[in-house]
DNA sequence: AAAACAGTTGTGCACGAGCACGGCTCGGCA
DNA sequence: TGCCGAGCCGTGCTCGTGCACAACTGTTTT
């Protein structure tokens, strides 16, 4: 039968006024030792849980968060992250939390750098940083440290920052999982292909390279003895790529298994579906819109996915919990790595 | 530049008092047509979002929810559900939400029935019902309908109730997925085994039977031509079962693949690990504590899991959103069906 | 014409916490 | 004794909403 104690109750129980209790709870202003002791004694006996509702009504403080993410087109990975952010923003509306999005071009580092002074100028209480560009992100972090503005990292973890939280996946392990999935249905001596779909200016991010590392580690740990073909493709040039892939498969018809470590498996899906290929086992990443039909039709056999919406939700909630609720937030948070197949796809987005 | 409009603002804009605006917003009491029109006009122009914080402070209403779930021992499936519930209860503490747990014995239907008058007597605003016993649950539902108390179903969906929400999984499809996973690494003509671990009084619930149905459907759709051995085992009798399993495997040494449709794969894990068997492919359900070490050691190859904590969270949130926020809640919510393997296990619980 | 009444409308307090301001006590000093 | 200031403490307003009650208007009744 737990009772909701109020400051007023504590004041009455300890024989002082609410003002004194308030001063003790927030240790502001001077309080006599006697009063301190009396109140502390009461506080020890009861379990006071401040009414957060009343607090956030009394504090007319506005919380302004800024997010810095890649600009996305419809169906892209970062759209899902931002959907999670916007959902949470709506949920926290009554707590006076406002969220403003700033975008950069994920293929142009300088576009990120240009945002740094903007963030410094904006009066904000917290920042969410998509840390694709490690050095630039680190620079922003140190600027924010100086301004004493808390920030959350998303996507790539950066050592030696004072971020209050990081949300992302363990890239090596996500590659390792891919290795396991691929191994389920091939022989250790079968050839395979890694497709690197890059766009002009694409930097083949550290994340992607780490996935590949984890993948190769699985292969070596499990005595893989086949040959791994690496196929480089420029994502923008559809015509050229078709020729390139035609050449590759006519030269290596034994390759029946492949993987793409970024979210562009659908581009290879386009190729296979145009050529009528149905017996290739393809593993990809991320449940972005364009990948879905190919998972459904069986051209992509597995997608390794990472709940981007939840990441977005968690970023904002981390700032909220840190600043408003003054709770402790765990710093490093690796998201679950989910395995999506045709059969469990339809239920995947029904969380929360 | 969205502004937070308050009732006071609306009153000023439309030239009436806050009381009148209040009456119109909640359509209570009589208001002159003139005032109605003036306020409605303003409401159309601005987008009024009531401050929920202030509202729940003003309404000193207590919300008392009751949950009715099986009594669990440590590490059991229902423990995870209740963990999600308790987490949310803590989160909604300041909204005056209280949650009381009632437990029944999942192997004794009458223990559920005994709770019905208790629920009716308790003055509560919402109920969460674990609907394992379909008929008994239905009876409770109709009682609650009469009392006009909203309720949420968890576990099994029941037709023709007025539940405001249901959270659970699509049982057939979760069996269908198991079929796919099993087929990944066997030949269509290989024999397999279905292990039915039941406890005394266990009713081999509809859920479990449906999983089996979905599984068999996958087999027939994919031209399975082997033999499915069904092994019945009483979960309580370890010694007897060892003998029974010994007999089975010596008679059918060709069976190298098996599945258990409830969460007791760990019992078979006990057997295999005692016998030193390492080349059996076993698929199970639910990431309950005892299953985890066997997934890690490779004795269980896959677990199909369904985010029980999230289900618990969602149940309480559904009642909260319905009663407090007065939002619309979607009625039927099938949870994601996740595939857990050794490699992605460690990250699985890092959500929210 | 005064009173009663119905139909509206405005006012004021409550919810619980935060915070500023003013008031109280007590000691020191002239 | 009177005055001042430091140290401590209590009061009262605020946030935005809900709701009860009082107050106001205009019409009908005695």
């Amino acid at each position: 039968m737990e009772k909701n104690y109020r400051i007023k109750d504590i004041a009455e129980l300890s024989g002082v006024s609410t003002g004194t209790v308030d001063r003790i709870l927030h240790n502001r202003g001077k309080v006599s030792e006697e009063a301190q002791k009396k109140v502390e004694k009461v506080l020890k006996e009861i379990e006071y849980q401040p009414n957060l509702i009343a607090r956030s009504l009394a504090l007319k403080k506005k919380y302004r968060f800024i997010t810095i993410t890649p600009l996305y087109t419809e169906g892209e990975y970062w759209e899902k992250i931002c959907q999670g952010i916007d959902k949470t923003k709506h949920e926290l509306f009554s707590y006076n939390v406002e969220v403003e999005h700033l975008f950069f071009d994920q293929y142009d580092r300088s576009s990120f750098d240009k945002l740094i002074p903007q963030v410094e100028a904006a009066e904000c209480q917290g920042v969410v940083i998509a840390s694709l560009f490690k050095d630039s992100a680190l620079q922003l972090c140190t600027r924010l440290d100086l301004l004493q503005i808390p920030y959350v990292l998303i996507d790539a973890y950066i050592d030696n920052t004072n971020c209050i939280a990081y949300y992302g996946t363990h890239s090596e392990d996500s590659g390792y999982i891919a290795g396991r999935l691929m191994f389920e249905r091939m022989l250790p001596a079968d050839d395979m292909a890694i497709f690197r779909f890059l766009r002009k200016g694409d930097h083949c991010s550290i994340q992607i390279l780490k996935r590949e590392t984890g993948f190769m580690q699985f292969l070596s740990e499990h005595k893989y003895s086949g040959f791994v073909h690496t196929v480089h493709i420029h994502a923008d040039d559809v015509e050229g790529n078709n020729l390139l892939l035609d050449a590759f498969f006519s030269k290596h018809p034994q390759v029946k298994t492949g993987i793409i470590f970024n979210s562009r498996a659908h581009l290879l899906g386009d190729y296979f579906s145009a050529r009528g290929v149905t017996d290739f086992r393809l593993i990809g990443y991320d449940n972005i819109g364009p990948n879905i039909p190919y998972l459904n039709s069986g051209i992509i056999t597995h997608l390794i996915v990472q709940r981007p919406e939840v990441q977005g939700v968690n970023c904002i909630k981390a700032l909220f919990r840190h600043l408003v609720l003054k709770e402790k937030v765990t710093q490093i948070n690796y998201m679950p790595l989910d395995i999506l197949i045709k059969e469990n796809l339809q239920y995947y987005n029904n969380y929360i």
Coordinates of all heavy atoms in Angstrom, one line a residue, chain C residues 14-28:
Chain C
dA14 P -7.9 25.5 -2.5 OP1 -8.4 25.2 -1.1 OP2 -6.7 26.4 -2.7 O5' -7.6 24.1 -3.2 C5' -8.6 23.2 -3.5 C4' -8.2 22.3 -4.6 O4' -8.2 23.0 -5.9 C3' -6.7 21.8 -4.4 O3' -6.7 20.4 -4.1 C2' -6.0 22.1 -5.7 C1' -7.1 22.5 -6.7 N9 -6.7 23.7 -7.5 C8 -6.4 24.9 -7.1 N7 -6.1 25.7 -8.1 C5 -6.2 25.0 -9.2 C6 -6.1 25.2 -10.6 N6 -5.7 26.4 -11.0 N1 -6.4 24.2 -11.4 C2 -6.8 23.1 -11.0 N3 -7.0 22.7 -9.7 C4 -6.7 23.7 -8.9
dC15 P -5.3 19.9 -3.4 OP1 -5.8 19.0 -2.3 OP2 -4.4 21.0 -3.1 O5' -4.6 19.0 -4.5 C5' -5.3 18.3 -5.5 C4' -4.4 18.2 -6.7 O4' -4.6 19.3 -7.6 C3' -2.9 18.2 -6.3 O3' -2.5 16.8 -6.2 C2' -2.2 18.8 -7.6 C1' -3.4 19.5 -8.3 N1 -3.3 20.9 -8.6 C2 -3.5 21.4 -9.9 O2 -3.7 20.6 -10.8 N3 -3.3 22.7 -10.2 C4 -3.0 23.6 -9.2 N4 -2.9 24.9 -9.4 C5 -2.8 23.1 -7.8 C6 -2.9 21.8 -7.6
dG16 P -1.6 16.4 -4.9 OP1 -1.6 15.0 -4.8 OP2 -2.0 17.3 -3.8 O5' -0.1 16.9 -5.3 C5' 0.5 16.2 -6.3 C4' 1.8 16.9 -6.7 O4' 1.5 18.2 -7.2 C3' 2.8 17.2 -5.5 O3' 4.0 16.8 -6.0 C2' 2.7 18.7 -5.3 C1' 2.3 19.2 -6.7 N9 1.6 20.4 -6.7 C8 0.6 20.9 -5.8 N7 0.1 22.1 -6.2 C5 0.8 22.4 -7.3 C6 0.7 23.6 -8.1 O6 0.0 24.6 -8.0 N1 1.5 23.5 -9.2 C2 2.4 22.5 -9.5 N2 3.1 22.6 -10.6 N3 2.5 21.4 -8.8 C4 1.7 21.4 -7.7
dA17 P 5.3 16.9 -5.0 OP1 6.0 15.6 -5.1 OP2 4.9 17.4 -3.7 O5' 6.1 18.0 -5.8 C5' 6.5 17.7 -7.1 C4' 7.1 18.9 -7.8 O4' 6.1 19.9 -7.8 C3' 8.3 19.5 -7.0 O3' 9.4 19.6 -8.0 C2' 7.9 20.8 -6.5 C1' 6.7 21.2 -7.4 N9 5.6 21.9 -6.7 C8 4.9 21.6 -5.6 N7 4.0 22.4 -5.2 C5 4.1 23.4 -6.2 C6 3.4 24.6 -6.4 N6 2.4 25.1 -5.6 N1 3.8 25.4 -7.5 C2 4.8 25.0 -8.2 N3 5.5 23.9 -8.2 C4 5.1 23.1 -7.1
dG18 P 10.8 20.2 -7.6 OP1 11.7 19.5 -8.5 OP2 10.9 20.1 -6.1 O5' 10.7 21.7 -8.0 C5' 10.6 22.0 -9.4 C4' 10.6 23.5 -9.5 O4' 9.4 24.1 -8.9 C3' 11.8 24.2 -8.9 O3' 12.2 25.3 -9.7 C2' 11.2 24.8 -7.6 C1' 9.8 25.2 -8.0 N9 8.8 25.2 -7.0 C8 8.5 24.3 -6.0 N7 7.5 24.6 -5.3 C5 7.1 25.9 -5.8 C6 6.0 26.7 -5.4 O6 5.2 26.5 -4.4 N1 5.9 27.9 -6.1 C2 6.8 28.2 -7.2 N2 6.6 29.3 -7.8 N3 7.8 27.4 -7.6 C4 7.9 26.2 -6.8
dC19 P 13.7 25.8 -9.7 OP1 14.2 25.8 -11.1 OP2 14.5 25.1 -8.7 O5' 13.6 27.3 -9.2 C5' 12.5 28.1 -9.8 C4' 12.1 29.2 -8.9 O4' 11.1 28.7 -7.9 C3' 13.3 29.8 -8.0 O3' 13.2 31.1 -8.2 C2' 12.9 29.3 -6.6 C1' 11.4 29.4 -6.7 N1 10.7 28.7 -5.6 C2 9.5 29.2 -5.1 O2 9.1 30.3 -5.6 N3 8.8 28.6 -4.2 C4 9.2 27.5 -3.7 N4 8.5 26.9 -2.7 C5 10.4 26.9 -4.1 C6 11.1 27.5 -5.1
dA20 P 14.5 32.0 -8.2 OP1 15.1 32.0 -9.5 OP2 15.4 31.5 -7.0 O5' 14.0 33.4 -7.9 C5' 12.7 33.8 -8.5 C4' 11.9 34.7 -7.5 O4' 11.3 33.9 -6.5 C3' 12.8 35.7 -6.7 O3' 12.1 36.9 -6.6 C2' 12.9 35.0 -5.3 C1' 11.5 34.3 -5.2 N9 11.6 33.1 -4.4 C8 12.5 32.2 -4.3 N7 12.2 31.2 -3.4 C5 11.0 31.6 -2.9 C6 10.2 31.0 -1.9 N6 10.5 29.9 -1.3 N1 9.0 31.7 -1.6 C2 8.8 32.8 -2.2 N3 9.5 33.5 -3.1 C4 10.6 32.8 -3.4
dC21 P 12.9 38.3 -6.3 OP1 12.8 39.1 -7.5 OP2 14.2 37.9 -5.7 O5' 11.9 38.9 -5.2 C5' 10.5 38.6 -5.1 C4' 10.0 38.5 -3.7 O4' 10.2 37.2 -3.1 C3' 10.8 39.5 -2.8 O3' 9.8 40.3 -2.1 C2' 11.6 38.6 -1.9 C1' 10.7 37.4 -1.8 N1 11.4 36.1 -1.4 C2 10.8 35.2 -0.5 O2 9.6 35.5 -0.1 N3 11.4 34.1 -0.1 C4 12.6 33.8 -0.6 N4 13.2 32.7 -0.3 C5 13.3 34.7 -1.5 C6 12.6 35.8 -1.9
dG22 P 10.2 41.7 -1.4 OP1 9.7 42.7 -2.3 OP2 11.6 41.7 -1.0 O5' 9.3 41.7 -0.1 C5' 8.2 40.8 0.0 C4' 8.2 40.1 1.4 O4' 9.1 38.9 1.3 C3' 8.8 41.0 2.5 O3' 7.9 40.8 3.6 C2' 10.1 40.4 2.8 C1' 9.9 38.9 2.5 N9 11.1 38.2 2.2 C8 12.2 38.5 1.5 N7 13.1 37.6 1.4 C5 12.6 36.6 2.2 C6 13.2 35.3 2.6 O6 14.3 34.8 2.2 N1 12.4 34.6 3.4 C2 11.2 35.0 3.9 N2 10.5 34.2 4.7 N3 10.6 36.2 3.6 C4 11.4 36.9 2.7
dG23 P 7.9 41.8 4.8 OP1 6.6 42.5 4.9 OP2 9.2 42.6 4.8 O5' 8.0 40.8 6.0 C5' 7.1 39.6 6.0 C4' 7.7 38.6 7.0 O4' 8.8 37.9 6.5 C3' 8.1 39.3 8.3 O3' 7.7 38.5 9.4 C2' 9.6 39.3 8.2 C1' 9.9 38.0 7.4 N9 11.1 38.1 6.6 C8 11.6 39.1 5.8 N7 12.8 38.8 5.3 C5 13.1 37.5 5.8 C6 14.2 36.7 5.5 O6 15.2 37.0 4.8 N1 14.2 35.5 6.2 C2 13.1 35.2 7.1 N2 13.3 34.0 7.7 N3 12.1 35.9 7.3 C4 12.1 37.1 6.6
dC24 P 7.5 39.1 10.9 OP1 6.1 39.0 11.2 OP2 8.2 40.4 10.9 O5' 8.3 38.1 11.8 C5' 8.1 36.7 11.6 C4' 9.4 36.0 12.0 O4' 10.3 36.2 10.9 C3' 10.0 36.5 13.2 O3' 9.8 35.5 14.3 C2' 11.5 36.5 12.9 C1' 11.6 36.1 11.4 N1 12.5 36.8 10.6 C2 13.8 36.3 10.3 O2 14.1 35.2 10.7 N3 14.6 37.0 9.5 C4 14.3 38.2 9.1 N4 15.2 38.9 8.3 C5 13.0 38.8 9.4 C6 12.2 38.1 10.2
dT25 P 10.2 35.9 15.8 OP1 9.3 35.1 16.7 OP2 10.2 37.4 15.9 O5' 11.7 35.4 15.9 C5' 11.9 34.0 15.5 C4' 13.4 33.8 15.6 O4' 14.1 34.4 14.5 C3' 14.1 34.3 16.9 O3' 14.9 33.2 17.4 C2' 14.9 35.5 16.5 C1' 15.2 35.1 15.0 N1 15.5 36.3 14.1 C2 16.6 36.4 13.4 O2 17.5 35.5 13.4 N3 16.7 37.5 12.6 C4 15.8 38.5 12.5 O4 16.0 39.5 11.7 C5 14.6 38.4 13.3 C7 13.6 39.5 13.3 C6 14.5 37.3 14.1
dC26 P 15.3 33.3 19.0 OP1 15.1 31.9 19.5 OP2 14.6 34.5 19.6 O5' 16.9 33.6 18.9 C5' 17.6 32.9 17.9 C4' 18.9 33.7 17.7 O4' 18.7 34.8 16.7 C3' 19.5 34.3 19.0 O3' 20.9 34.1 19.0 C2' 19.2 35.8 18.7 C1' 19.4 35.9 17.2 N1 18.7 37.1 16.6 C2 19.3 37.7 15.5 O2 20.3 37.3 15.0 N3 18.7 38.8 15.0 C4 17.6 39.3 15.5 N4 17.0 40.4 14.9 C5 17.0 38.7 16.6 C6 17.6 37.6 17.2
dG27 P 21.6 34.2 20.5 OP1 21.8 32.8 21.0 OP2 20.9 35.2 21.3 O5' 23.0 34.7 20.1 C5' 23.6 34.3 18.9 C4' 24.4 35.4 18.2 O4' 23.5 36.3 17.6 C3' 25.3 36.2 19.2 O3' 26.6 36.3 18.7 C2' 24.6 37.5 19.3 C1' 23.9 37.6 18.0 N9 22.7 38.5 18.0 C8 21.6 38.3 18.9 N7 20.7 39.2 18.6 C5 21.1 40.0 17.6 C6 20.5 41.1 16.9 O6 19.5 41.6 17.1 N1 21.4 41.5 15.9 C2 22.6 41.0 15.5 N2 23.2 41.6 14.5 N3 23.2 40.0 16.1 C4 22.4 39.5 17.1
dG28 P 27.7 36.9 19.7 OP1 28.9 36.0 19.5 OP2 27.2 37.1 21.0 O5' 28.0 38.3 18.9 C5' 28.3 38.3 17.5 C4' 28.4 39.7 17.0 O4' 27.0 40.3 17.0 C3' 29.2 40.6 18.0 O3' 30.0 41.4 17.1 C2' 28.2 41.4 18.7 C1' 27.0 41.5 17.7 N9 25.7 41.7 18.4 C8 25.2 40.9 19.4 N7 24.0 41.3 19.8 C5 23.7 42.3 18.9 C6 22.5 43.1 18.8 O6 21.5 43.0 19.4 N1 22.6 44.0 17.8 C2 23.7 44.2 16.9 N2 23.6 45.2 16.0 N3 24.8 43.5 17.0 C4 24.7 42.6 18.0

